[in-house]
Amino acid sequence: MDFNPGINIGDHLTNNELCQLFKCGNMGGMRRSKKTGTLVIISDHTKNFYHDEWKDGILHYTGMGKNGDQVLEGNQNGTLYHSDTNGVNVHLFEVLEKSVYTYKGIVKLAAQPYQAAQETFDGEMRSVWIFPVKPVLDIEEWAIEVMEKEAVTLSNTELYKRVKTVKCESRKPRTVETKVYDRNPYLKELVKRIAEGKCQYCGETAPFIDKNGEPYLEEHHVTWLARGGSDTIDNVVVVCPNCHTKAHVLDDDITKITLEEVAKQNVKRLKRLLAYEREIKTP
């Protein structure tokens, strides 16, 4: 019977809790446990040693081995490579904040693993194995809701770190029943803080308070994602539902030019917010 860890996607664990739960080792990014029949893989974005990257809902995960070219034999790279046939369930954790392991669920290979060149800390190039893995469950929308709830608790500096870490392939749609373009929930929260509860088009206070206790404003991309716009601070504003509908219905140059200027100001306000936060943290 497949091992059930008894945790939910999005739960945060410490390293000790992870090890005790999966009965695996406490070091490394790939941890095999024969007792639970699992392989735990950890994508740690805080160390910047490996270059893992999400693309279209698929994590391109770098294999194990810090020195020299990576190989498949004699380590857990082989376990992951053959995970479709060896009966080992692969569980993914991500680390976006030091020592906090966020559970992403069971993953499977989404494509054939491949080799790529990556640069080491010493500036030397080496060959690594990249494993394209994807959650078994289609949890993108659910995960975004979880991240939005978490986002309101973070500092501006931490939010900005998440904005840079979580990369959404905004120009490429996911096909569900209609085309859905991925958005960065941390970016949305960051712009909402800049707006201070007011629509960035009409200037009116948000129409109501949402279920997270925050002023309800909607994210709007000045250049729409469907038209190649980027999900970045210089292309995002937050507006009330009325102005959001207006921007899409009219789709006129005047509205776009106005919001382009607002987005430019958001970039400047973000710099001031981050500078202020650094200042108050400095003794």
Side-chain angles (χ1 to χ4, degrees):
M1 181 177 293
D2 291 340
F3 171 70
N4 182 355
I7 54 178
N8 297 315
I9 296 172
D11 283 354
H12 300 315
L13 274 65
T14 65
N15 190 40
N16 285 338
E17 290 170 339
L18 188 159
C19 299
Q20 291 173 7
L21 184 61
F22 285 88
K23 296 180 172 57
C24 63
N26 63 358
M27 297 180 65
M30 302 175 76
R31 307 178 185 182
R32 177 80 164 89
S33 171
K34 293 186 177 180
K35 291 183 179 179
T36 58
T38 60
L39 174 67
V40 172
I41 62 174
I42 300 167
S43 181
D44 192 337
H45 300 282
T46 67
K47 292 182 178 178
N48 296 321
F49 187 83
Y50 297 117
H51 307 294
D52 301 339
E53 186 176 6
W54 286 96
K55 297 179 181 178
D56 295 338
I58 296 173
L59 177 64
H60 291 251
Y61 178 80
T62 307
M64 69 183 299
K66 291 184 177 181
N67 300 314
D69 294 339
Q70 292 182 351
V71 297
L72 292 178
E73 298 78 20
N75 56 41
Q76 302 309 328
N77 289 337
T79 305
L80 183 52
Y81 187 92
H82 296 291
S83 58
D84 280 346
T85 58
N86 60 14
V88 176
N89 279 338
V90 183
H91 294 255
L92 171 64
F93 284 83
E94 267 195 303
V95 180
L96 295 173
E97 180 182 349
K98 188 176 181 180
S99 302
V100 179
Y101 295 75
T102 303
Y103 185 53
K104 295 295 182 176
I106 296 176
V107 296
K108 290 187 177 295
L109 291 172
Q112 182 70 20
Y114 59 93
Q115 290 179 287
Q118 281 190 8
E119 187 175 356
T120 67
F121 280 137
D122 298 327
E124 298 180 359
M125 300 304 296
R126 66 178 185 137
S127 177
V128 299
W129 277 96
I130 303 295
F131 299 90
V133 295
K134 184 176 183 178
V136 173
L137 298 176
D138 186 11
I139 60 166
E140 283 89 350
E141 293 301 318
W142 178 89
I144 286 176
E145 183 178 340
V146 170
M147 286 190 285
E148 285 180 344
K149 289 181 179 179
E150 178 192 31
V152 300
T153 68
L154 302 175
S155 68
N156 296 324
T157 301
E158 184 60 33
L159 263 180
Y160 187 55
K161 288 181 183 177
R162 301 290 178 91
V163 168
K164 293 190 294 183
T165 300
V166 179
K167 297 181 179 179
C168 298
E169 294 292 311
S170 55
R171 297 184 187 179
K172 299 179 181 179
R174 291 184 284 111
T175 301
V176 189
E177 290 182 358
T178 58
K179 289 182 178 179
V180 179
Y181 290 84
D182 288 325
R183 294 165 171 80
N184 190 325
Y186 299 114
L187 177 60
K188 176 183 177 181
E189 173 62 23
L190 201 54
V191 180
K192 283 176 66 178
R193 291 189 186 181
I194 292 171
E196 297 182 332
K198 293 185 178 181
C199 171
Q200 292 194 301
Y201 187 69
C202 69
E204 295 295 324
T205 301
F208 60 89
I209 302 299
D210 66 19
K211 60 185 178 182
N212 294 325
E214 298 293 311
Y216 180 81
L217 293 168
E218 296 179 350
E219 180 184 42
H220 175 70
H221 292 79
V222 181
T223 298
W224 302 356
L225 297 180
R227 295 175 179 173
S230 61
D231 192 37
T232 52
I233 185 74
D234 58 349
N235 191 49
V236 173
V237 298
V238 288
V239 291
C240 66
N242 185 53
C243 288
H244 198 185
T245 301
K246 177 182 177 181
H248 279 271
V249 171
L250 294 183
D251 190 17
D252 62 314
D253 290 339
I254 294 177
T255 302
K256 184 176 180 180
I257 291 171
T258 301
L259 293 179
E260 282 177 346
E261 183 57 35
V262 172
K264 289 179 182 178
Q265 292 302 316
N266 284 344
V267 175
K268 295 178 180 179
R269 291 169 186 156
L270 172 61
K271 290 179 180 178
R272 289 198 294 269
L273 278 176
L274 297 178
Y276 174 73
E277 200 160 81
R278 287 194 297 269
E279 185 177 314
I280 63 175
K281 286 184 177 180
T282 302

